[in-house]
Amino acid sequence: MKLSYKHKIFFTFLIIFALYSFVLVFFQQKEEKKFKTEALENSLANYTQIIHNYVQQEHLLKNNLEISKVNHLADLLPKDIRITLMARDGKVLYDNDVQNIQKLENHLNRPEIKQTLYLRDRGINIRKSVSTQHEYMYYAQLFDNYFVRVALPYNIQTQKFFKTDNAFIYLTIIIFILVLILLNAVANRFNKSIVQLKLLVSQVKEGKHLSAQVTFQDDDLGEVGEELQEIFQQKLESEKQLKQEQEKIIFHFQHVEEGVGIFNSDNSVIYYNSQLIQYINLLTDQPSLELKEIFKQDFFRPVTEFLSKTDENLNHTSITIYKEDKVWLIEAIKFKDNSFEIQIKDITKAERTRLIKQEMSNNITHELRTPVTSIRAYLETLNEQTLPLDKQQLFINKAYQQSIRLSDLVEDIGLISKLEEAKEQFKKEPVSIYQLIQEVRINLSDRLIANKIQLNLLVDKALTLQGNYTLLFSVFQNLMENSINYGGENIEIIIDNYKEDESYLYFSYSDTGKGLDEKYFNRLFERFYRAQEGRTRNNGGTGLGLSIVKNAIQLHGGEIFIKKNIPSGLTFLFTLKKS
């Protein structure tokens, strides 16, 4: 049977206190008996001294021993005391309990006499008298040439004298009982705290939330229990938060586009998402559901070599894989315990964007170089040569025109970059389309008149759209500038919102200009693309106008298409989302 903490504590302290009480009583009784024996010995010693003094004073041994005088002395001493005087050789000279001392044998062999001779001081013994057949406690002492021996009957009264006082034992028992009661109370209090601690540990072990009923006693152990309860509560909260974070990470891994897998140092799987197995099957020649297959592939060898290295400073590597029309990025991250993470990303779109940006950067450099070179050439000529005034004015005008072209180019580059990377900066507001086109007409009126271009506006004057004014202005201005630059003279421009439904406004922009061969249509909205390079530069275009148009329309939730007019000219069909 397993004892409870209460019983263990109770019985442990009970045994300890019982042993302590037993030892205490034992030594107390021993000391008390020793004290009483010494007291009785002192009394008997005093009696022998009194007798010796009386014998010396009365010179009893020099004269014939007067029995009457010795008896008189015996009457003065306590009742039942036995007095014996004997010579140095053991001969009995007097004994108040024996009438005829002549019959007494020599007492030299008596134990108390032997002890007295051995110690040369005194001797004590308890035994039965040979002569009287009574049990006595004898005390003998040697004086000059004779022994004085006194004895008291070792009867019940004498035995009681040697018995210890039981009051101390009773007091010890009472204290023992009180200690047991107090110990039981302490054990009960301690046991309650232990039970609560066990309940607390049981709840923690089973992963349960801590019960509000787990209360502790107001003592040191209770304080420890409360501290543990708080620590365990914090642990549970931390585990809960950790679990929530793990669920978030798993949820994230399941919904990211990247394939993610976490592996032990022996390549066994800890976790992976569905994208990883899909991407591995796209990268390997033989489809498989085993993730370990990737470690056998030749293209994966740089990663396996990285994972086999023990250099703590190398914890990340990546490789790029080109397969068919896809570009893949494989990254490996090694942790301190030699477990690792594999990520596979489809970076085809990002790589294409990078190439487009690189191409755009090259185009921008090329486009900027032309006006900058021209301006520099004109200014160097003016600075280094003395030219006629009309020639100087011509060069200044040409430099001015190139500076305008450069300014337009920089402005268009800034706008298209903003369209691609900071769309959220374009705030939308109610815009009157009719009023906006009229402002574009006013802005380009000089050029329209110079090229004899007629603008026919078939747009409802009450038409309003929730959009960005600047971008919508750029749409119509770039389309009209495109007609002015490349359509020729004596042409007509028609702008019509030919249809409207619950979600979209439908527009057509057409001109009767020179038009363009359909083979250029697929690339017409590309940045810096020129279907007729030389002519475009001569007319001052930046090569970004139609690209800005397309991006601005897409930002407004619409699409744009182009078709060829018969007999000549172009038509742009586009939609704009109402909100």
Side-chain angles (χ1 to χ4, degrees), residues 31-245:
E31 290 299 317
E32 184 178 356
K33 186 173 182 179
K34 178 181 178 183
F35 172 78
K36 289 185 176 182
T37 301
E38 290 178 353
L40 183 59
E41 289 180 1
N42 290 335
S43 298
L44 294 177
N46 290 335
Y47 295 152
T48 58
Q49 190 65 44
I50 291 171
I51 294 170
H52 169 67
N53 292 338
Y54 183 76
V55 170
Q56 293 295 320
Q57 182 180 353
E58 296 298 329
H59 304 288
L60 297 179
L61 294 179
K62 293 182 178 180
N63 303 323
N64 291 330
L65 187 62
E66 295 184 21
I67 301 301
S68 60
K69 289 184 176 183
V70 180
N71 288 335
H72 176 69
L73 176 62
D75 292 337
L76 297 176
L77 295 176
K79 186 179 180 181
D80 296 331
I81 192 171
R82 181 180 178 185
I83 302 172
T84 304
L85 301 177
M86 61 188 73
R88 182 66 180 267
D89 58 1
K91 180 181 178 182
V92 177
L93 302 177
Y94 172 80
D95 192 320
N96 63 339
D97 276 357
V98 179
Q99 295 297 328
N100 187 4
I101 61 174
Q102 301 298 328
K103 296 181 179 180
L104 295 176
E105 61 182 10
N106 192 286
H107 281 32
L108 197 60
N109 291 326
R110 295 294 192 268
E112 63 276 8
I113 301 301
K114 287 183 177 182
Q115 191 177 11
T116 301
L117 290 173
Y118 176 74
L119 296 176
R120 297 187 178 277
D121 183 13
R122 60 184 176 79
I124 188 168
N125 185 249
I126 298 174
R127 59 181 176 79
K128 182 182 289 188
S129 172
V130 176
S131 56
T132 64
Q133 297 299 310
H134 295 298
E135 192 171 22
Y136 288 92
M137 181 178 182
Y138 291 96
Y139 180 88
Q141 190 169 352
L142 176 63
F143 296 97
D144 298 333
N145 57 354
Y146 72 100
F147 293 97
V148 176
R149 188 183 72 176
V150 293
L152 286 174
Y154 196 70
N155 51 25
I156 295 176
Q157 286 76 16
T158 307
Q159 294 175 15
K160 286 183 178 180
F161 176 80
F162 283 103
K163 287 185 178 179
T164 58
D165 189 358
N166 291 330
F168 181 79
I169 297 177
Y170 298 147
L171 178 62
T172 303
I173 293 173
I174 292 172
I175 294 175
F176 183 74
I177 294 173
L178 292 176
V179 168
L180 286 182
I181 295 173
L182 180 62
L183 184 61
N184 185 65
V186 172
N188 280 332
R189 187 179 182 87
F190 186 77
N191 187 63
K192 289 180 180 179
S193 296
I194 293 295
V195 170
Q196 296 301 318
L197 280 174
K198 289 178 67 177
L199 177 60
L200 177 65
V201 172
S202 175
Q203 290 182 350
V204 173
K205 186 177 180 181
E206 294 175 4
K208 298 178 180 178
H209 287 287
L210 298 182
S211 172
Q213 297 180 353
V214 181
T215 56
F216 295 92
Q217 302 295 318
D218 186 15
D219 52 21
D220 292 342
L221 189 60
E223 291 180 3
V224 173
E226 290 176 353
E227 290 292 335
L228 286 175
Q229 188 175 25
E230 184 176 351
I231 292 172
F232 289 143
Q233 189 68 49
Q234 292 175 353
K235 177 178 177 290
L236 288 176
E237 290 298 326
S238 299
E239 289 178 349
K240 181 180 178 181
Q241 293 177 2
L242 180 61
K243 186 176 181 180
Q244 290 175 347
E245 294 302 321

Side-chain angles (χ1 to χ4, degrees), residues 371 374-375 378-379 382 392-408:
S374 298
I375 293 171
Y378 292 136
L379 293 177
L382 290 170
Q392 292 180 15
Q393 188 62 42
L394 176 64
F395 279 24
I396 291 172
N397 288 336
K398 288 185 177 293
Y400 176 69
Q401 293 298 325
Q402 290 298 326
S403 68
I404 292 176
R405 182 169 181 268
L406 180 62
S407 178
D408 291 342

Side-chain angles (χ1 to χ4, degrees), residues 219-484:
D219 52 21
D220 292 342
L221 189 60
E223 291 180 3
V224 173
E226 290 176 353
E227 290 292 335
L228 286 175
Q229 188 175 25
E230 184 176 351
I231 292 172
F232 289 143
Q233 189 68 49
Q234 292 175 353
K235 177 178 177 290
L236 288 176
E237 290 298 326
S238 299
E239 289 178 349
K240 181 180 178 181
Q241 293 177 2
L242 180 61
K243 186 176 181 180
Q244 290 175 347
E245 294 302 321
Q246 289 175 339
E247 290 175 352
K248 290 179 183 178
I249 292 173
I250 292 174
F251 182 82
H252 170 73
F253 284 164
Q254 291 295 342
H255 291 82
V256 295
E257 295 181 359
E258 295 86 356
V260 180
I262 301 175
F263 300 81
N264 286 313
S265 57
D266 60 353
N267 297 344
S268 59
V269 180
I270 298 175
Y271 170 82
Y272 70 95
N273 62 3
S274 58
Q275 290 88 331
L276 182 66
I277 194 73
Q278 179 182 356
Y279 290 167
I280 289 176
N281 285 328
L282 290 173
L283 284 168
T284 55
D285 296 329
Q286 296 295 329
S288 173
L289 295 177
E290 292 292 332
L291 294 178
K292 288 187 176 182
E293 287 298 317
I294 194 171
F295 297 101
K296 302 176 183 177
Q297 302 299 317
D298 291 337
F299 66 81
F300 202 72
R301 186 176 295 112
V303 176
T304 56
E305 291 176 354
F306 159 76
L307 295 174
S308 63
K309 294 179 181 178
T310 58
D311 189 351
E312 295 182 356
N313 295 322
L314 295 175
N315 54 16
H316 177 268
T317 191
S318 62
I319 58 174
T320 303
I321 306 297
Y322 296 88
K323 188 174 180 64
E324 298 176 354
D325 60 341
K326 292 282 189 179
V327 184
W328 304 91
L329 177 66
I330 301 178
E331 293 184 287
I333 302 172
K334 186 161 57 175
F335 305 116
K336 289 186 177 180
D337 60 352
N338 290 327
S339 61
F340 57 91
E341 177 181 335
I342 299 295
Q343 292 185 14
I344 301 180
K345 303 177 184 178
D346 182 357
I347 61 170
T348 305
K349 185 177 179 180
E351 185 67 12
R352 288 174 181 171
T353 302
R354 184 187 68 81
L355 293 174
I356 290 173
K357 287 185 176 181
Q358 183 178 352
E359 182 181 359
M360 180 180 176
S361 178
N362 294 334
N363 289 334
I364 290 173
T365 302
H366 178 70
E367 294 296 330
L368 289 174
R369 184 182 295 116
T370 301
V372 169
T373 302
S374 298
I375 293 171
R376 179 176 179 179
Y378 292 136
L379 293 177
E380 283 181 352
T381 302
L382 290 170
N383 186 50
E384 296 176 359
Q385 298 181 26
T386 302
L387 300 175
L389 290 178
D390 58 341
K391 204 80 167 178
Q392 292 180 15
Q393 188 62 42
L394 176 64
F395 279 24
I396 291 172
N397 288 336
K398 288 185 177 293
Y400 176 69
Q401 293 298 325
Q402 290 298 326
S403 68
I404 292 176
R405 182 169 181 268
L406 180 62
S407 178
D408 291 342
L409 183 62
V410 171
E411 185 176 347
D412 285 350
I413 290 172
L415 181 58
I416 199 165
S417 296
K418 190 176 179 182
L419 275 168
E420 291 183 345
E421 300 177 2
K423 295 180 180 180
E424 67 280 355
Q425 294 184 12
F426 293 101
K427 305 302 180 184
K428 292 184 178 182
E429 59 185 351
V431 177
S432 171
I433 300 299
Y434 181 85
Q435 185 63 35
L436 181 144
I437 297 174
Q438 289 292 356
E439 291 179 8
V440 174
R441 180 209 294 264
I442 294 170
N443 190 45
L444 298 174
S445 60
D446 292 341
R447 297 181 65 188
L448 290 171
I449 294 172
N451 287 275
K452 301 176 183 179
I453 297 175
Q454 182 180 353
L455 175 61
N456 291 326
L457 189 57
L458 306 176
V459 176
D460 187 355
K461 293 182 179 180
L463 184 63
T464 302
L465 174 70
Q466 189 75 14
N468 181 269
Y469 180 88
T470 302
L471 293 181
L472 292 174
F473 189 92
S474 296
V475 168
F476 290 100
Q477 176 158 303
N478 277 294
L479 289 174
M480 291 175 68
E481 284 184 339
N482 194 67
S483 296
I484 294 170

